[in-house]
């Protein structure tokens, strides 16, 4: 029993989300992927949960079976014409397996009429609890850095690539990301930001369709186009920057991040969008 429990925590199942278990064959699954019990007892794995998710590149990947188990997804056909309709459509969407394990849908925060839209990776524990993006430790750092340049949630709008917390803040799978992207694109089309800021590698790689890492992408202005049926009519000036969770681990990168925020400020002033 203890070994099974340890395995579940290691796999990211660190919270009770319902009265009954909904994995009918979890014991069989556990037996297939877990290490021999002696190993687990001698060296119990560290708790996977972290109060705030970091960028995928610095987080531990889940056991392979869990990764591929969550690959089943269904691409949504997005029809929403307003933000409220989009929120409802996302809330009804059952093609992303993360919805089953999350406490809340985390849709957005900030001002929908703001000229600047920020997109992060995925909600963490605190975001899942409150149903709002970037309200945990990394959100506080983001608020501080943006605030020092005159930005807050009245002149920005913020969301994520994923609308639900990955269990234990594990790295989202490609399938989970793919299932949410059509909603994210429609989200951008409806907000029509004058500037798009991508926080971290997952957001940047996903929306810019590139395998290039955030270290190379950050600080370089580009244009976000959107896919043909996204409804995004004109290219949007777009700036990838480091994810604040990365800055919490890598304080030396804060200097570059601050320069990027200053570049954002300059562009916003030059383009007269504030
Ligand atoms: N990290 C993210 O990428 N998004 C959040 O909402 C919180 C932390």
């Amino acid at each position: 029993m203890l070994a099974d429990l340890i395995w579940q925590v290691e796999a990211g199942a660190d919270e009770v989300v319902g009265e009954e278990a909904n994995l009918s064959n979890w014991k069989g699954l556990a037996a297939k992927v877990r290490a021999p019990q002696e190993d687990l007892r001698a060296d119990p794995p560290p708790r996977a949960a972290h109060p705030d998710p970091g960028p995928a590149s610095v987080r531990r990947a889940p056991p392979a079976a869990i990764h591929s188990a969550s690959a089943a997804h269904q691409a949504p056909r997005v029809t929403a014409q307003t933000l409220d309709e989009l929120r409802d459509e996302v809330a009804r969407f059952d093609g992303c397996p993360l919805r089953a394990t999350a406490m809340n849908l985390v849709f957005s925060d900030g001002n929908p009429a703001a000229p600047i839209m920020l997109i992060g990776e995925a909600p963490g524990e605190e975001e899942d609890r409150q149903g709002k993006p970037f309200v945990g430790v990394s959100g506080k750092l983001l608020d501080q850095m943006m605030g020092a340049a005159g930005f807050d949630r009245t002149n920005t709008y913020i969301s994520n690539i994923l609308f639900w917390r990955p269990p234990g803040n594990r790295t989202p799978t490609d399938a989970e990301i793919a299932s949410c992207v059509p909603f994210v694109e429609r989200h951008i089309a409806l907000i029509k930001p004058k500037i798009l800021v991508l926080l971290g590698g997952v957001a940047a790689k996903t929306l810019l369709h590139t395998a290039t890492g955030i270290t190379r992408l950050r600080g370089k202005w580009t244009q976000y186009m959107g896919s043909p049926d996204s409804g995004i009519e004109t290219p949007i000036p777009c700036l990838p920057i480091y994810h604040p969770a990365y800055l919490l681990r890598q304080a030396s990168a804060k200097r570059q991040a601050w320069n990027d925020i200053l570049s954002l400020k300059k562009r916003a002033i030059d383009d007269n969008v504030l």
Side-chain angles (χ1 to χ4, degrees):
M1 285 294 282
L2 181 62
D4 284 336
L5 193 58
I6 290 168
W7 177 84
Q8 285 186 62
V9 172
E10 165 74 352
D14 59 338
E15 286 190 28
V16 177
V17 293
E19 292 298 314
E20 290 174 12
N22 63 0
L23 257 182
S24 53
N25 189 25
W26 67 273
K27 278 195 170 177
L29 185 62
K32 271 189 211 155
V33 299
R34 72 171 175 234
Q37 297 210 352
E38 298 79 89
D39 293 350
L40 286 169
R41 260 181 260 124
D43 185 19
R47 194 177 149 77
H50 185 278
D52 213 36
S57 56
V58 297
R59 275 189 270 141
R60 197 157 38 87
I66 294 297
H67 219 90
S68 53
S70 46
H73 81 288
Q74 199 182 300
R77 206 177 66 82
V78 185
T79 59
Q81 299 299 320
T82 67
L83 216 48
D84 286 345
E85 284 176 12
L86 182 66
R87 197 195 163 95
D88 288 350
E89 224 173 340
V90 174
R92 284 196 310 272
F93 179 59
D94 61 4
C96 177
L98 298 176
R99 183 184 141 162
T101 50
M103 261 192 279
N104 280 304
L105 163 69
V106 178
F107 188 70
S108 70
D109 195 19
N111 178 0
I116 298 172
M117 180 173 186
L118 295 97
I119 300 189
E121 180 180 324
E125 190 175 3
E126 194 52 37
E127 288 78 14
D128 185 33
R129 222 184 290 285
Q130 295 189 32
K132 263 191 194 181
F134 286 97
V135 289
V137 189
S138 69
K140 301 251 175 328
L141 176 61
L142 180 68
D143 286 350
Q144 267 175 13
M145 295 186 74
M146 292 292 282
F151 298 112
D152 57 24
R153 296 195 189 187
T154 66
N155 56 14
T156 61
Y157 179 80
I158 191 160
S159 186
N160 283 303
I161 295 287
L162 275 299
F163 297 97
W164 297 274
R165 178 195 182 201
N169 300 339
R170 68 161 167 74
T171 308
T173 65
D174 289 349
E176 288 159 356
I177 292 171
S179 72
C180 291
V181 162
F183 293 118
V184 176
E185 291 197 327
R186 182 59 57 90
H187 206 168
I188 298 168
L190 291 171
I191 294 295
K192 294 192 179 61
K194 299 279 190 295
I195 294 176
L196 189 62
V197 177
L198 305 177
L199 300 166
V202 168
K205 286 180 185 175
T206 302
L207 293 181
L208 300 176
H209 304 287
T210 177
T212 306
I214 189 67
T215 315
R216 283 176 189 272
L217 295 173
R218 63 140 280 275
K220 296 191 182 110
W221 284 93
T222 182
Q223 300 278 327
Y224 173 69
M225 313 292 278
S227 61
D229 47 4
S230 62
I232 296 164
E233 284 153 12
T234 50
I236 303 169
C238 172
L239 181 67
I241 69 176
Y242 281 135
H243 192 288
Y246 174 69
L247 302 177
L248 287 170
R249 297 183 174 91
Q250 202 63 50
S252 60
K254 281 186 185 167
R255 188 191 167 101
Q256 291 170 308
W258 177 240
N259 283 335
D260 296 345
I261 290 173
L262 291 179
S263 167
L264 170 65
K265 177 83 177 181
K266 183 174 183 316
R267 179 76 182 243
I269 292 170
D270 289 352
D271 290 3
N272 214 12
V273 306
L274 279 177

